[in-house]
Structure formats: structure tokens, C-alpha cells
Amino acid sequence: MTQHASPPRDNTDKVPSVQLPPWRGLLARADVRTLSLLGVLAALVLIGGITKPDEFLDTRNLQLVLTQASVIGVVTVGMTFVITSGGIDLSVGAIVALSSVWATTVATQEYGFAGILFTAVIVGVGCGLVNGLLIAYGGMVPFIATLAMLASARGLALQITDGKTQIVTVSSILDLGERDAYVLGIPPLVIVFAVVTILGWLILNRTTFGRRTVAVGGNAEAARLAGIDVRRQRLYLYLLSGLCCGIAAFLLIILSGSGQNTNGNLYELDAIAAAIIGGTLLSGGRGTITGSVLGVLIFTTITNIFALNNLQSDVQQIAKGAIIVAAVLVQRRTASTT
């Protein structure tokens, strides 16, 4: 029996692996859109530093910008989940208002810090539950269902307050808004916003719940055939949005020291706009918490720069509108090329 000698090994096939520097690996994985948003934010900071260097770059002003971004930022995290699933929530601002006034009534304040926090959260979740049931199991279009909730929640908030501002008298709530409560120079509201953002990112990107959300937004029928309970998933998403509204209402109570039926005015538009420019598709199927947060910071920084330079609010709204239109056009062009 003839034995054939095995061919010699070709050592030229062995290409030594090249270890890339950590910073190059990070840039390789980074989303181009995220880098673009960071560039826009850096440009705005530069503009603020040039136009009003002493005021804009002051530590107190930067803390104010982050604090103001925290309230709408928490709402935007919930909105990102809803839009990623192919839905919309026009009632978030009204839910924030209703939660804030319900949590600051005289009867609620008798229960102190815990009573105010619990009421704000439970009212937000309750409104989200109604939205979810109407949309997921009632078959209502999200636009109509949440529009009805917007009107109802605003009306109920006005009825509770009778058009008056409800002042918070609980010292433990008011103390959180003071500089003595800052942790290493960071306001408590910003810390809460950071925690919500991290949890939102982990849920959307690292859990089955997040993958189901993306699947429902991409193709609801295909998701159903794959074994996903689409109706239950949508219910959970509006519950999540309501929870974020309740948390935002509590933060707003700390920030303003009061509850008003006008709270959360146009929050729904700001949250949707921030999510859009951040890269979340209005048609669903793709969402990014990081982009949404950067969108919030961009809008908040624009507002701050306009205020410091005594520019009229109508110009500010025009600038925001232009940014939104540009973001949608970029989304459509990106979608057409993929």
C-alpha cells in the first residue's frame, strides 16, 4: 500500500493578527450619526462660548442646561421606545402635567416625599395603561388614542388645580433642588436622568424586550408569526412611556417646587424631535437611546444660547424646525441607499 506524503504546510497563509489601538477600535465601532451629533453639540458649545463666554461657560449655567435637559430627557427615553415600535405618543406632556398636579395636592403632600413620588409615578403609569389598552387591545390608532389622552389629561389637570399653582411645602423635596444636594457638583436630577438613560440603553440593546420592540416596529406581522405577542408588547411600551412621564413629573416638581396644569407644554413635540434627529425612525424598526439623548442636549443648548443672547423665541422655533426637517431628509436618504 503506497503512502503519499502530505504536502508541506504553507506558512505564508499564517498572517499575524494586528492588534489595533483601543481608540481606533472605538472609532471603528462608533455610529457615524452619533459622531455627527457630537460634532453639532460641540459646535453649539463653541458658539455659546464665543458669543457669551462668561455666562455660557459658567459652571452654574452648564448645570442649568443639564438640569433642564433631564426632565425632557427622561420623557424622550420613553418616547424612543414607542417610536421604535412604530407608534407615537402625543400625550406625554399632558401626562407630565397631570402627574405633577396630582402629586402636589394638599392631600398628597401630607404623605411627604414618598407620597409625592408614588403619586407622580402611579398617575403616569395609569395614563400609559389607558393608552396601551386602547391601542393594543382596542384597536385604536396611536395618534388618535394619545391625542384623546392629551385632551383628557390637560382637562383633568386644569380641573384639579382650578388654574392655580400648587406650591410644594415638603422640605425634603425642595432640598433636592438646592446646591447643597449636588453630588460632586452634579444635580440630583442629572443623576436620575443618567440612570434612566443607561437603563433604557441596556433594555433596548441588550434584552429580549428591546429586540421585540425593534421587531414589532420593523414588521408587526412578521413579529407575530415569529411568536411575539405584539399586543402585549405594545401595552408594555406605553406603560414604559407613562412611567417615564411620571418620573419626569417628579423631577419637574423638584425643579420648580410646584405643580401646574401648564407643565410639560409641548414636551411631546420636543421629545419626538429629539428622537428623530437622534436617528430613531418614525416608521419604526430602529431606535437609539444615545442619539435621542444627544438630540435633547442639542435642543436644550440651543434654547440656552438663544436666551443668553436675548434672541426671540420665534427664531428659536424656526431653528428647531429646520433641524427637524434636515434630520428627516437625512433619514429618508439613508433609507433609500440601504
Side-chain angles (χ1 to χ4, degrees):
M1 193 173 201
T2 307
Q3 293 184 350
H4 298 282
S6 59
R9 296 182 180 180
D10 187 2
N11 293 328
T12 59
D13 291 339
K14 292 184 178 181
V15 179
S17 59
V18 179
Q19 187 72 24
L20 292 175
W23 65 270
R24 291 193 62 182
L26 178 62
L27 288 178
R29 294 191 300 268
D31 183 27
V32 175
R33 180 181 295 273
T34 301
L35 294 177
S36 301
L37 291 173
L38 287 172
V40 172
L41 184 59
L44 289 173
V45 172
L46 182 61
I47 293 172
I50 293 174
T51 56
K52 291 287 183 178
D54 295 335
E55 300 175 30
F56 180 79
L57 298 177
D58 183 71
T59 302
R60 290 177 179 268
N61 183 64
L62 296 178
Q63 290 172 336
L64 175 62
V65 171
L66 291 176
T67 300
Q68 292 175 339
S70 298
V71 180
I72 184 62
V74 171
V75 175
T76 303
V77 170
M79 181 70 78
T80 301
F81 277 89
V82 172
I83 296 178
T84 301
S85 71
I88 199 74
D89 192 347
L90 301 179
S91 63
V92 291
I95 294 175
V96 169
L98 179 59
S99 299
S100 68
V101 300
W102 208 324
T104 54
T105 59
V106 175
T108 304
Q109 292 194 49
E110 292 180 355
Y111 294 94
F113 183 99
I116 293 176
L117 174 59
F118 175 79
T119 303
V121 170
I122 203 67
V123 170
V125 172
C127 292
L129 176 63
V130 174
N131 280 337
L133 290 175
L134 290 176
I135 294 168
Y137 295 95
M140 291 187 67
V141 177
F143 183 92
I144 300 300
T146 57
L147 185 62
M149 175 58 72
L150 183 156
S152 302
R154 283 289 179 194
L156 184 54
L158 179 60
Q159 186 178 49
I160 291 175
T161 61
D162 194 23
K164 301 176 182 177
T165 300
Q166 298 177 163
I167 304 299
V168 176
T169 59
V170 180
S171 58
S172 57
I173 295 288
L174 299 175
D175 290 343
L176 288 176
E178 301 295 331
R179 296 187 63 84
D180 293 339
Y182 289 10
V183 180
L184 300 177
I186 303 175
L189 275 69
V190 179
I191 296 176
V192 173
F193 177 34
V195 171
V196 172
T197 299
I198 293 172
L199 290 176
W201 186 90
L202 290 173
I203 292 172
L204 184 60
N205 296 281
R206 293 292 185 268
T207 67
T208 303
F209 182 88
R211 290 191 290 272
R212 288 175 178 172
T213 300
V214 174
V216 170
N219 190 322
E221 180 61 21
R224 185 187 66 82
L225 294 176
I228 298 175
D229 191 330
V230 175
R231 293 190 299 178
R232 185 173 61 185
Q233 185 70 17
R234 286 175 174 161
L235 173 62
Y236 288 162
L237 288 167
Y238 282 95
L239 282 173
L240 178 60
S241 179
L243 173 63
C244 289
C245 290
I247 296 173
F250 182 71
L251 297 182
L252 194 56
I253 292 172
I254 296 174
L255 183 62
S256 64
S258 64
Q260 304 176 53
N261 66 287
T262 56
N263 281 342
N265 187 35
L266 297 181
Y267 272 20
E268 56 277 358
L269 299 183
D270 288 341
I272 293 171
I276 291 174
I277 72 168
T280 299
L281 288 181
L282 269 176
S283 56
R286 188 183 74 192
T288 163
I289 298 295
T290 303
S292 296
V293 170
L294 289 174
V296 170
L297 293 176
I298 288 173
F299 279 139
T300 308
T301 304
I302 291 176
T303 302
N304 184 259
I305 292 174
F306 273 67
L308 290 178
N309 288 277
N310 296 319
L311 297 176
Q312 297 180 356
S313 59
D314 55 351
V315 181
Q316 173 186 325
Q317 297 303 322
I318 293 173
K320 285 185 177 181
I323 293 174
I324 295 171
V325 171
V328 172
L329 291 177
V330 169
Q331 281 192 359
R332 293 186 62 182
R333 183 168 182 175
T334 302
S336 63
T337 57
T338 55

